[in-house]
Amino acid sequence: MGIQRSHWAVPWAWAALMVACSTPNPDVRVRELPDGQLQVTGPLAGPFPTVEELAGNACEIMTRQPGASSGDYGMEYCALVYYSGAEDAYYLSHLSDVQGTSVGRTKSCLVPTKLDDPRHLDAVILGRGHNHPHNRRFSQKDMGRDREWVPSRIADSRTGKVLRRHLLLFYREKAGECRAYKFDYADREVAALRGGVWVPIGSVSDDQGNIELYKGQDWTP
């Protein structure tokens, strides 16, 4: 599956941070608003007809960023996934590389909460996407009830679709394979993208974010 990127770009009024290189990363377009919230532009990639196709492409894009697959001391990037009813399509925003306070094996990225996409003023933010440079599992903290995104379902009046909110995770194996995972906020189920299809592998069993894998399932096939 080839990576789809948007050909649209916005003027560079963005605080793209430097990541071990001498020039800004063109995929990182994030700024802090006066109220302290982070805003990213969009789209970086799309349109995609399904979340599955978006996730496969986003995995390739995000895990190939500088430091994104560098192990324990690598970089975590965040992005927004959103939907346009006018185009009945899904998009990936540009990235944020604004780091949290965690160090060492515990990674964090401050997730943007605002989107600037003048071409898709009907955009509905459906989820957050981030990479892990060091493991392929969701963190317990991300699965907790206190981080649940509500409402977990949104009805789009233009298409009649009932959209579900989710959290996406991307990890690149040392052998090169890119793995994508989804946590559905509505049914609190964890799924792995395999062969272009979401395969349920477990569910979150409590408010603290503990994951119970289904019988015969694991994080790898």
Side-chain angles (χ1 to χ4, degrees), residues 52 55 136 138 168-169 178-183 189-202 213-214 217-221:
E52 289 88 341
R136 65 180 70 82
F138 285 108
L168 300 179
L169 168 64
C178 203
R179 301 194 187 279
Y181 302 91
K182 178 182 70 168
F183 173 60
E189 187 170 67
V190 177
L193 188 64
R194 294 172 181 168
V197 177
W198 291 117
V199 176
I201 63 171
L213 294 176
Y214 295 145
Q217 295 293 342
D218 207 335
W219 294 94
T220 55

Side-chain angles (χ1 to χ4, degrees), residues 123-157:
V124 177
I125 299 175
L126 294 183
R128 309 170 175 106
H130 68 297
N131 69 292
H132 274 186
H134 58 312
N135 71 72
R136 65 180 70 82
R137 304 182 180 215
F138 285 108
S139 67
Q140 182 178 341
K141 184 184 298 184
D142 283 340
M143 305 290 97
R145 284 283 186 185
D146 59 339
R147 291 201 178 185
E148 186 172 300
W149 199 341
V150 293
S152 58
R153 297 180 180 88
I154 302 173
D156 181 73
S157 59

Side-chain angles (χ1 to χ4, degrees), residues 28-185:
V28 175
R29 299 190 183 185
V30 59
R31 67 173 177 176
E32 185 176 354
L33 300 177
D35 62 3
Q37 296 186 77
L38 295 181
Q39 181 186 63
V40 286
T41 58
L44 170 61
F48 301 106
T50 65
V51 175
E52 289 88 341
E53 190 169 337
L54 179 147
N57 280 268
C59 190
E60 295 293 335
I61 293 171
M62 295 187 72
T63 61
R64 293 193 185 281
Q65 300 299 319
S69 300
S70 298
D72 288 349
Y73 291 89
M75 283 279 294
E76 191 170 298
Y77 296 83
C78 297
L80 296 176
V81 173
Y82 57 102
Y83 173 81
S84 167
E87 298 187 13
D88 191 18
Y90 300 87
Y91 293 88
L92 178 74
S93 77
H94 287 95
L95 311 182
S96 168
D97 62 356
V98 180
Q99 299 296 293
T101 57
S102 301
V103 296
R105 293 182 62 87
T106 301
K107 303 299 171 186
S108 64
C109 175
L110 299 183
V111 180
T113 55
K114 298 291 185 179
L115 173 71
D116 178 17
D117 182 350
R119 288 181 59 189
H120 301 101
L121 297 179
D122 66 333
V124 177
I125 299 175
L126 294 183
R128 309 170 175 106
H130 68 297
N131 69 292
H132 274 186
H134 58 312
N135 71 72
R136 65 180 70 82
R137 304 182 180 215
F138 285 108
S139 67
Q140 182 178 341
K141 184 184 298 184
D142 283 340
M143 305 290 97
R145 284 283 186 185
D146 59 339
R147 291 201 178 185
E148 186 172 300
W149 199 341
V150 293
S152 58
R153 297 180 180 88
I154 302 173
D156 181 73
S157 59
R158 187 188 297 265
T159 63
K161 286 186 174 181
V162 177
L163 307 168
R164 300 164 74 93
R165 281 196 160 127
H166 47 258
L167 175 66
L168 300 179
L169 168 64
F170 309 113
Y171 174 76
R172 185 171 294 279
E173 302 283 356
K174 291 182 179 179
E177 182 178 354
C178 203
R179 301 194 187 279
Y181 302 91
K182 178 182 70 168
F183 173 60
D184 189 306
Y185 287 107

